[in-house]
Amino acid sequence: MTAGGNFGARVPEAFETLQRAANERPRRRRGQWWAWLVIIIGATYFIVPLIATLEFSLRPEPPSRAYANVMADQRFFEGLRYSFIVGLITIVLSLGLIVPTAYWVRLRLPRLRPVVEFVTLLPFVLPPIVLAYGLIRFYSRQPLVLTGTEFGSDLLLVAAYVVLSFPYMYRAVDNGLASMDVRVLTEAAQSLGGGWFRILWSVIFPNLRT
């Protein structure tokens, strides 16, 4: 009797739950409709300029003449190789700077995390053109003249790229560290005799590979 009574009491509750779920379905569908609308508008905002650029580049007759001229210019490949090398150096330096910083903040200094996040977001606040102008003005005079030589200009360019990559690089690394138990991995590595460099190179970096 008790089981039957409980079952009879639960039937109205189950019915009310099903009724609420049925009432929420139209709301969810409307929310999905707005979500798809936002996605379509965002995709249009990014795709239309790309299509317009492609159409403009194909206007000369024959349509492939502009691309043939670019491929025939030796300076194009020199610039492409230079950009590739600078980008690769930027990635290596950014990882070498951001990964130990984010790892140490998450492991030992969690209270400084808002400060580090604020510092890494500063490139969003400062326009890139202002950053480039300030770097050129500052490093074209004494005591540290970098713009006077080709190596100094390359070094200044890489440093500027590293700074501009802070917001993206720190978010990616911090999300990767959040997906693993940094403290347990560190204690396990230390119990096996691993030093800090060994822990970063053999434990943290491989887990951040994705």
Side-chain angles (χ1 to χ4, degrees):
M1 294 296 293
T2 304
N6 292 336
F7 178 78
R10 291 176 181 177
V11 169
E13 297 178 1
F15 180 76
E16 292 177 1
T17 303
L18 293 175
Q19 188 68 29
R20 286 196 300 267
N23 294 333
E24 290 177 359
R25 286 178 183 175
R27 298 179 182 178
R28 292 181 180 178
R29 290 178 180 175
R30 285 195 293 269
Q32 293 176 356
W33 182 81
W34 280 104
W36 278 108
L37 179 62
V38 171
I39 292 175
I40 293 173
I41 294 175
T44 304
Y45 177 81
F46 288 104
I47 293 176
V48 169
L50 296 178
I51 297 176
T53 304
L54 178 63
E55 189 274 335
F56 179 80
S57 66
L58 295 176
R59 285 183 182 179
E61 294 294 338
S64 60
R65 188 179 70 179
Y67 294 96
N69 294 336
V70 169
M71 293 299 176
D73 193 348
Q74 185 63 27
R75 292 175 298 178
F76 170 75
F77 295 98
E78 294 177 357
L80 186 64
R81 178 175 59 86
Y82 178 80
S83 299
F84 177 78
I85 294 175
V86 170
L88 187 62
I89 295 174
T90 301
I91 292 174
V92 173
L93 291 179
S94 298
L95 288 175
L97 181 64
I98 292 296
V99 172
T101 302
Y103 166 73
W104 193 254
V105 168
R106 184 168 286 275
L107 182 66
R108 294 294 179 85
L109 302 171
R111 294 182 179 179
L112 291 182
R113 187 179 177 185
V115 178
V116 176
E117 290 183 351
F118 174 78
V119 172
T120 57
L121 287 175
L122 285 180
F124 279 155
V125 179
L126 189 66
I129 186 65
V130 176
L131 175 63
Y133 181 76
L135 290 175
I136 293 174
R137 286 292 303 271
F138 185 83
Y139 289 104
S140 61
R141 65 182 73 177
Q142 296 295 336
L144 190 59
V145 181
L146 293 179
T147 57
T149 62
E150 184 176 354
F151 176 77
S153 299
D154 296 341
L155 183 64
L156 191 61
L157 180 63
V158 171
Y161 279 159
V162 170
V163 172
L164 291 176
S165 69
F166 276 174
Y168 312 100
M169 187 68 70
Y170 181 79
R171 288 297 175 281
V173 172
D174 189 62
N175 290 335
L177 292 175
S179 64
M180 69 180 79
D181 198 333
V182 176
R183 188 174 300 277
V184 172
L185 291 175
T186 301
E187 292 176 354
Q190 288 177 337
S191 65
L192 296 174
W196 290 113
F197 178 79
R198 184 72 174 178
I199 294 173
L200 285 172
W201 183 256
S202 301
V203 178
I204 302 301
F205 273 105
N207 282 280
L208 289 175
R209 193 178 307 164
T210 303

